[in-house]
Amino acid sequence: MRLERLRTLPTRGVSLDTETWALEYGVPVPKLVLGSAGWLEGGSVVGVLLDKDAVLELFARIADDPDAVLVGANLTQFDLLVIATEFASRGIDAMPWIFELLASGRVLDIFTVERLNAIAHGFLNKD
């Protein structure tokens, strides 16, 4: 995440979360069920529930907007994979969007940030 992107989070950040079927042995990526999104608007948090199609539409809009920042928890370890897999099941390759988001510093995974903070302070995996 680039510093200039962090400064735009209040106006350009969109939090996106996916919900899936339960994890199963032998199924590397569970199927998308629905999602939720949130952003700041006029000083208030706006949140919405999204069906599968709306999750993909919102992701595509974020990816296509060069100023938008995608925010989430476990976003880089889980949600982007779920989204890419759902797009792939529809014959669409989402990987160029994902790589562009990452390369342009427009993804903020709050769990990754927390782990980096713990490393910086010397207490990763310590109580």
Side-chain angles (χ1 to χ4, degrees), residues 102-116:
L102 293 167
S104 63
R106 297 190 299 127
V107 175
L108 177 64
D109 187 314
I110 61 172
F111 284 169
T112 301
V113 170
E114 181 57 29
R115 284 189 291 273
L116 290 171

Side-chain angles (χ1 to χ4, degrees), residues 44-124:
S44 298
V45 174
V46 175
V48 294
L49 288 176
L50 307 166
D51 65 18
K52 286 194 276 190
D53 293 334
V55 169
L56 301 182
E57 289 170 18
L58 177 59
F59 175 80
R61 282 201 322 261
I62 293 168
D64 285 339
D65 181 346
D67 296 321
V69 178
L70 185 61
V71 181
N74 278 330
L75 189 61
T76 55
Q77 291 86 12
F78 185 75
D79 296 287
L80 290 178
L81 179 60
V82 169
I83 289 168
T85 303
E86 184 63 30
F87 270 118
S89 74
R90 297 167 185 226
I92 300 167
D93 183 5
M95 296 312 293
W97 278 329
I98 292 170
F99 286 130
E100 173 57 30
L101 281 165
L102 293 167
S104 63
R106 297 190 299 127
V107 175
L108 177 64
D109 187 314
I110 61 172
F111 284 169
T112 301
V113 170
E114 181 57 29
R115 284 189 291 273
L116 290 171
N117 183 59
I119 290 168
H121 290 92
F123 57 82
L124 182 65

